Amino acid sequence: MTSEMSSVAKMMSEESEPMRHIDLGSPPLEQPAAGHWFPGPPPPVYSCTLTSELVAKAREELQEKPEWRLRDVQALRDMVLKEQPKLRTRLDDAFLLRFLRARKFDYDRAMQLLLNYHSSRRAWPEVFQDLKPSTVKHVLDLGFLTVLPHPDLNGRYILCLRPGKWKANDYPFEDNIRAIYLTLEKLIQPEETQVNGIVILADYTGVGLSQASNPGPFLAKKVVSILQDSFPIRIKAVNIINEPRIFKGIFAIIKPFLKEKMAERYVLHGSDLRSLHRNIPRSVLPEEYGGVARHLDMSAWSKTLLDSEEEFIVEFCQPDPLEGVVLPDSMLFEGEQPGGGARDEDTFRGLRSQLYYCY
């Protein structure tokens, strides 16, 4: 996996900006109070909250022109009303801007992303039915995921995943995806995240064969389809630490579904924390990962999500937004493509053998 372990310079694409570094002796940042550190949802009437620096960054990286911003939103809104008049979707400025920014203000690609966003719910009811924070409290309590309270020096929040905290007999794997999806929905609300993107830190401590073989390729393809093609967020880097030998088998399941640009953003650090610190500064990392930002706190993000219960009920616990909508075949969510199940299972059998070999 030499390409996956390539340097940071190669990992970042043309839309990225160079990593900056800090003095490793920097004092710890003040820990925010639980539930009071993450920005609230956007107001009903759109008003740009970007700093002048982020306005300039959005112009350079996303082709966003402030003077044309609302005109572009209206153009996308008109496309939805004309091409998919039965689609039950939000059409407010703040919501549509997420899709335009994620696709660099290309109307057609933003429209496809919006349709994929909604069709993913139909394709995976186990994840999206009754989707609200209270239904994943057990995942949050287990410590499967959190968001670090301080963004990195590029303004990117860090989603911390710990797959080893989950065991196959604890609860269905789909519950983990529900928690991740709710977290992404919360993270994408601030305009700063829409411009800066996010970073993923995945700690594979404790991952064994049972976790590695679950999910199989079919579920892995659905997860990747959501992250790459069905959600308006920019994933700028995926840092893997403490990966076991069997990670080679895990990545073999995921890699066929990754676009080349995304595959290059995976960086494997092993147990080398100095390598991690070259990508994520110590000032924002908890002590568990050699940082100076105190201990890893799982409760703050859990509270942030659980306090947003009513917000998510309004957003997700509604009738199917695609009811009565006919989508072009080119816009079907990956999981709805016919004829893929048998091939996926054949692939899974071969990869399971590889996992046992690595283990």
Side-chain angles (χ1 to χ4, degrees):
M1 293 190 292
T2 56
S3 63
E4 290 76 29
M5 292 184 285
S6 60
S7 67
V8 176
K10 178 182 178 183
M11 177 190 71
M12 295 301 172
S13 66
E14 74 278 2
E15 66 180 12
S16 304
E17 65 182 39
M19 287 283 187
R20 291 176 289 164
H21 303 288
I22 63 166
D23 179 3
L24 296 184
S26 298
L29 298 171
E30 183 178 354
Q31 197 78 358
H36 300 284
W37 59 277
F38 193 74
V45 178
Y46 175 73
S47 176
C48 183
T49 60
L50 298 176
T51 63
S52 57
E53 291 80 7
L54 285 178
V55 168
K57 182 176 182 178
R59 183 188 291 272
E60 179 182 353
E61 295 187 9
L62 307 181
Q63 286 74 60
E64 176 176 345
K65 298 177 176 60
E67 62 274 18
W68 291 356
R69 184 186 292 125
L70 294 184
R71 183 210 68 172
D72 292 334
V73 169
Q74 186 60 47
L76 179 57
R77 184 182 295 117
D78 290 341
M79 286 181 67
V80 175
L81 293 173
K82 179 181 179 180
E83 299 178 17
Q84 297 293 346
K86 295 183 179 180
L87 180 64
R88 297 173 181 169
T89 184
R90 286 173 54 185
L91 292 173
D92 56 281
D93 297 342
F95 181 74
L96 294 179
L97 262 175
R98 302 175 187 179
F99 296 88
L100 287 167
R101 285 170 171 152
R103 291 299 179 262
K104 299 186 177 182
F105 282 76
D106 182 314
Y107 299 160
D108 292 329
R109 294 177 65 225
M111 178 70 173
Q112 179 165 341
L113 179 60
L114 176 63
L115 291 173
N116 287 347
Y117 173 83
H118 286 297
S119 64
S120 63
R121 303 189 197 182
R122 173 185 287 179
W124 208 349
E126 300 91 337
V127 168
F128 292 99
Q129 187 173 3
D130 194 32
L131 183 61
K132 53 189 177 183
S134 60
T135 64
V136 297
K137 186 177 183 299
H138 57 290
V139 180
L140 301 173
D141 290 345
L142 192 66
F144 178 82
L145 66 74
T146 192
V147 174
L148 301 188
H150 299 288
D152 67 10
L153 295 177
N154 292 315
R156 304 175 299 197
Y157 280 106
I158 300 163
L159 169 58
C160 180
L161 303 174
R162 300 194 295 172
K165 293 293 182 180
W166 173 75
K167 302 296 185 294
N169 58 354
D170 289 340
Y171 52 78
F173 173 80
E174 285 83 358
D175 287 2
N176 294 326
I177 305 305
R178 289 164 68 85
I180 292 173
Y181 198 90
L182 288 168
T183 293
L184 294 178
E185 282 285 348
K186 195 66 181 174
L187 283 173
I188 200 58
Q189 287 182 350
E191 291 191 281
E192 293 84 350
T193 300
Q194 296 167 28
V195 175
N196 291 324
I198 66 168
V199 170
I200 295 176
L201 170 61
D203 178 4
Y204 273 77
T205 298
V207 170
L209 186 60
S210 62
Q211 293 103 327
S213 59
N214 191 333
F218 184 63
L219 294 185
K221 178 163 64 172
K222 283 190 171 186
V223 173
V224 171
S225 294
I226 288 175
L227 295 179
Q228 288 188 148
D229 305 315
S230 306
F231 197 88
I233 202 164
R234 307 171 73 205
I235 300 175
K236 306 300 293 181
V238 181
N239 293 276
I240 309 294
I241 62 172
N242 299 321
E243 67 272 17
R245 291 174 55 196
I246 55 174
F247 186 81
K248 183 179 293 186
I250 299 173
F251 197 77
I253 294 175
I254 301 172
K255 187 177 179 180
F257 312 122
L258 292 174
K259 295 177 180 177
E260 181 179 358
K261 180 187 292 186
M262 180 59 68
E264 290 178 350
R265 294 181 180 183
Y266 276 70
V267 182
L268 277 58
H269 302 286
S271 59
D272 186 357
L273 293 181
R274 295 181 63 182
S275 173
L276 175 65
H277 300 158
R278 288 193 288 271
N279 291 266
I280 303 177
R282 292 182 61 212
S283 61
V284 303
L285 285 170
E287 295 177 5
E288 287 82 349
Y289 302 127
V292 294
R294 305 181 185 175
H295 288 293
L296 185 64
D297 177 17
M298 312 302 295
S299 63
W301 185 252
S302 177
K303 178 173 173 53
T304 297
L305 281 186
L306 293 171
D307 285 350
S308 305
E309 181 84 357
E310 293 185 7
E311 173 189 321
F312 281 108
I313 290 175
V314 171
E315 190 78 17
F316 290 105
C317 301
Q318 305 295 330
D320 181 3
L322 291 177
E323 185 176 350
V325 175
V326 178
L327 297 177
D329 289 345
S330 61
M331 290 188 178
L332 285 176
F333 178 64
E334 281 283 347
E336 290 188 305
Q337 299 291 350
R343 289 193 300 273
D344 288 335
E345 290 306 314
D346 288 343
T347 303
F348 189 25
R349 279 192 288 271
L351 290 174
R352 183 179 293 176
S353 299
Q354 181 178 348
L355 287 173
Y356 275 103
Y357 176 77
C358 293
Y359 193 70

